[in-house]
Amino acid sequence: MRYRDVNTDNDIIASALSVANLVGQKSYRDILNARISKAEAKGYIAPFEKQILSLTQELRVIETERRRKKLSTRIFQTCADGANLLLGIGQTIPHLSENGKKKLSDSIQTGISDDKLRALNHEFRVAERISNVGYDVHFADLETDSLSAGIRTPDLVASRGERAFDVEAKNVTNFIGLPVNPADQDKLWNLIRSGFTAWEDENTVPIVNVSFDGRFSSNQDYHRRILAQVNISTAQKITDEIDIGDNTRVKYLGAVPFTSAEHMKFNSERDRDATATNVILRFVHPRLILRLTPTKIRNIFKSRIYATISEASKQCSGILPAVIWCHIEYISEKDFLSLNGQDSFLKSVADRVFLSPKREHVVQLIFSGASLKISDIKKGIPIVRCGYRSIIFNSPTKKYGGLTLFPS
């Protein structure tokens, strides 16, 4: 299949309707509303959550406009990411088998509820780029039950005549190098919301610090132990650090007068910015300010990037030349370009991949990040495309005669 270069009002309306029908219109609305309501229930949405939720919020805006019969290409001005994703999915649906449609529907629902929409968005963005360079796109991962078949299946296959490429579209977040993953903090917050009961005074707010070495664990039992000790330390006002295992300590720091939720939020943001401490707030009585303070920080961002590329190479067939496109979400242009600076980390990853006998099928490695909005006019229609900075590395080996899919 190929994608359109220009989309009209009717195209965006049809694509939005196709996606809603694929999931089920009521189910689609419910899952969009539920994810955003979950975030809003905390009383505030932290900056990193706003980034994570932005695509889901755009889809909800577009669906609302569709139902109000006011949807048009003007939506690109405010919801470019969401509109481009819906156009990609909408054009793909007619080319999928019933099993492929079912898997796509599941991916959309999981993407919304588990904050994985960005990965799906990247896959469709790569599919569009394949179409732009003159190749047909086949969604191999949607059409193949690779687990039961016991075969390696790439996300996409690009083909033109007798030439074909396996394509893996990998999406990682800039958060993978942080001591506290936002998803893990969110899990702990859910426990705090329902399980913190240790404070009686409605006029004050207790402050508790949780310090930990290295990375904050995602283990649910670990989160329960934190909650239990937070309740104990707060109720008994224990100002000593209490070790709960896993190199983690809980300490009651004292209490401050409660003035307003906005005041709590403002002071907590100042604390976070000044100390790199993650803060969880409980705004309703019994209120709580919970600080997550990392010690002995070790940034694993680079090792996770290489592990992602290594895993992607294993998904390819090993028969066709392979292209791996790794997109880094939520990274600034400055930070992304620094990865390819004087001591180029990205080049070192490419060299390791291309020089490995296990990965000689990989002919191109592409990194992208630092999202950009690109405005243009095509055939009199104003459009906004979601662009990004990208860096392309071509394999020096000649197993496939120097073939490349994307121009450097």
Side-chain angles (χ1 to χ4, degrees), residues 337-345 347:
L337 294 177
S338 73
L339 294 175
N340 198 43
Q342 185 174 0
D343 298 318
S344 175
F345 162 67
K347 186 177 185 305

Side-chain angles (χ1 to χ4, degrees), residues 166-374:
D166 287 340
V167 182
E168 269 290 300
K170 289 297 182 184
N171 178 273
V172 298
T173 72
N174 200 28
F175 303 140
I176 63 175
L178 298 180
V180 181
N181 187 300
D184 296 330
Q185 179 173 322
D186 199 53
K187 292 175 185 176
L188 178 61
W189 179 84
N190 279 323
L191 282 178
I192 294 295
R193 179 180 61 173
S194 59
F196 178 69
T197 58
W199 198 251
E200 295 182 358
D201 186 359
E202 294 189 26
N203 297 313
T204 59
V205 185
I207 305 174
V208 180
N209 189 67
V210 177
S211 60
F212 55 94
D213 301 341
R215 278 181 67 81
F216 189 73
S217 173
S218 61
N219 183 274
Q220 193 171 34
D221 178 67
Y222 173 72
H223 294 174
R224 290 195 185 101
R225 281 186 282 129
I226 290 175
L227 171 62
Q229 189 57 53
V230 166
N231 272 320
I232 293 170
S233 292
T234 306
Q236 301 178 20
K237 300 181 179 179
I238 301 172
T239 56
D240 294 330
E241 278 196 329
I242 305 300
D243 194 317
I244 64 169
D246 292 316
N247 299 309
T248 302
R249 295 141 317 264
V250 177
K251 181 179 181 178
Y252 169 76
L253 299 179
V256 295
F258 173 71
T259 53
S260 68
E262 283 301 313
H263 193 249
M264 279 178 66
K265 176 185 174 184
F266 175 76
N267 285 334
S268 296
E269 287 177 347
R270 290 179 62 187
D271 182 20
R272 183 194 65 230
D273 293 341
T275 64
T277 293
N278 293 63
V279 182
I280 293 176
L281 302 177
R282 194 180 195 280
F283 288 105
V284 296
H285 182 71
R287 299 178 182 88
L288 175 67
I289 299 172
L290 183 66
R291 304 171 79 248
L292 302 179
T293 306
T295 60
K296 300 180 182 179
I297 300 172
R298 182 172 65 91
N299 195 318
I300 64 169
F301 175 75
K302 294 183 178 180
S303 62
R304 290 289 294 274
I305 290 286
Y306 183 77
T308 298
I309 299 298
S310 179
E311 182 61 31
S313 70
K314 297 175 184 176
Q315 291 299 114
C316 300
S317 66
I319 300 171
L320 296 175
V323 177
I324 299 174
W325 190 322
C326 180
H327 185 75
I328 305 171
E329 294 283 0
Y330 316 124
I331 189 170
S332 69
E333 183 176 15
K334 178 182 177 182
D335 287 345
F336 177 73
L337 294 177
S338 73
L339 294 175
N340 198 43
Q342 185 174 0
D343 298 318
S344 175
F345 162 67
L346 298 182
K347 186 177 185 305
S348 70
V349 171
D351 288 343
R352 287 182 65 183
V353 170
F354 293 144
L355 295 176
S356 169
K358 296 179 181 179
R359 302 179 185 92
E360 62 180 1
H361 56 293
V362 179
V363 297
Q364 277 192 310
L365 187 55
I366 303 169
F367 295 97
S368 59
S371 296
L372 308 167
K373 295 293 188 293
I374 303 170

Side-chain angles (χ1 to χ4, degrees), residues 47-71:
F48 68 81
E49 281 189 291
K50 290 179 181 178
Q51 291 180 303
I52 292 172
L53 284 172
S54 62
L55 186 52
T56 297
Q57 289 174 319
E58 287 187 13
L59 293 184
R60 187 168 75 161
V61 169
I62 293 170
E63 178 61 8
T64 300
E65 290 297 282
R66 185 195 67 79
R67 296 186 69 223
R68 294 173 61 200
K69 300 187 185 304
K70 293 188 175 182
L71 183 59

